[in-house]
Amino acid sequence: AVQPEPAYIFQNLLIQDVAYQTLTSSQRAAIHHMLAEWFEAATTKHPEAAQALLAYHWEHAGELGKAARCLLAAGDAARALYALPEAIADYRRALDLLDPQADPELAARASMTLGLTYHLAFDFRLARQAFDQGFELWRQGDGQPPRDSSGYAQLAVDWLYMPLTLD
């Protein structure tokens, strides 16, 4: 009979941490890469459920573009539930991982979505900063608005007339 592969469960997190630290950085990256691929395959029916976890593993595997896209998806899911602090954290982290020179349109979209989320959270000052950053990123790209600008045109109008305070 075929024996299952051994599984290790650590009773103490310190032992787990020490075992993890004994691996080389390339071994850790390879393990995170395998875990990310496994989670992607295991969550095909409900991919939104594992986006934050996928982002963690892709980031530690060195796949920053994939991690950023997962964080954007996690932010979208959190924003849909009005979990605005979590959405803001996801979008901000995604912006940290994105390379605006490599994909200025994606970075601009992320910044605009962050602005929308700040707007929903009634933080108009930070919303305006995020919108300004998004417009600047679009100018750095081809200078054209995104190809499917359906929601972004209204964001631009809202941005122009956005109050700085609720007074």
Side-chain angles (χ1 to χ4, degrees), residues 16-32:
Q16 178 182 349
D17 191 44
V18 168
Y20 182 79
Q21 295 301 325
T22 61
L23 299 172
T24 66
S25 60
S26 61
Q27 288 173 320
R28 283 184 279 203
I31 290 170
H32 283 290

Side-chain angles (χ1 to χ4, degrees), residues 5-49:
E5 291 188 31
Y8 300 97
I9 299 173
F10 296 96
Q11 296 295 323
N12 187 321
L13 291 179
L14 290 175
I15 295 171
Q16 178 182 349
D17 191 44
V18 168
Y20 182 79
Q21 295 301 325
T22 61
L23 299 172
T24 66
S25 60
S26 61
Q27 288 173 320
R28 283 184 279 203
I31 290 170
H32 283 290
H33 191 273
M34 287 188 306
L35 286 169
E37 287 180 335
W38 183 86
F39 278 117
E40 277 185 341
T43 59
T44 54
K45 289 185 181 178
H46 302 287
E48 68 281 351

Side-chain angles (χ1 to χ4, degrees), residues 69-101:
R69 290 179 193 281
C70 289
L71 283 166
L72 292 173
D76 291 344
R79 184 170 44 93
L81 296 172
Y82 285 91
L84 300 179
E86 290 83 1
I88 288 169
D90 289 337
Y91 293 137
R92 289 175 59 108
R93 184 70 187 130
L95 279 167
D96 289 342
L97 296 178
L98 284 172
D99 180 8
Q101 277 69 38

Side-chain angles (χ1 to χ4, degrees), residues 56-73:
Y56 172 83
H57 288 297
W58 282 128
E59 182 178 358
H60 285 82
E63 300 276 349
L64 302 184
K66 288 182 180 182
R69 290 179 193 281
C70 289
L71 283 166
L72 292 173

